[in-house]
Amino acid sequence: MLREFSIYRPRQVARFVKTLFKGTFSIAGIGEFHFDNGKVLVPDVTNPKMLSTYKEINGAIKALPV
């Protein structure tokens, strides 16, 4: 499933990832990400904006209640 977020809100993205568990999403102005097992997979490491977004989303996923 591909979902596009027009506005980047880490907590909203984290809820989406944790609910669906596997798929793809895109954030406008940042890029496309893949996730599996309720975690965002490491994106292209040459893009620092994508890498920092990846870390922030996975941190928000850990902060969500079980």
Side-chain angles (χ1 to χ4, degrees), residues 26-40:
S26 176
I27 301 173
I30 298 176
E32 188 173 298
F33 295 86
H34 302 280
F35 60 97
D36 193 13
N37 291 331
K39 300 278 184 194
V40 178

Side-chain angles (χ1 to χ4, degrees), residues 8-65:
Y8 173 55
R9 294 184 185 121
R11 189 172 164 103
Q12 180 184 21
V13 176
R15 283 196 318 257
F16 172 77
V17 169
K18 195 164 184 176
T19 302
L20 288 182
F21 226 63
K22 185 174 185 172
T24 306
F25 66 91
S26 176
I27 301 173
I30 298 176
E32 188 173 298
F33 295 86
H34 302 280
F35 60 97
D36 193 13
N37 291 331
K39 300 278 184 194
V40 178
L41 302 175
V42 178
D44 178 20
V45 293
T46 59
N47 185 342
K49 189 167 186 167
M50 283 185 80
L51 195 58
S52 68
T53 302
Y54 149 79
K55 290 177 185 177
E56 192 172 4
I57 293 170
N58 277 340
I61 291 170
K62 288 179 186 176
L64 288 175

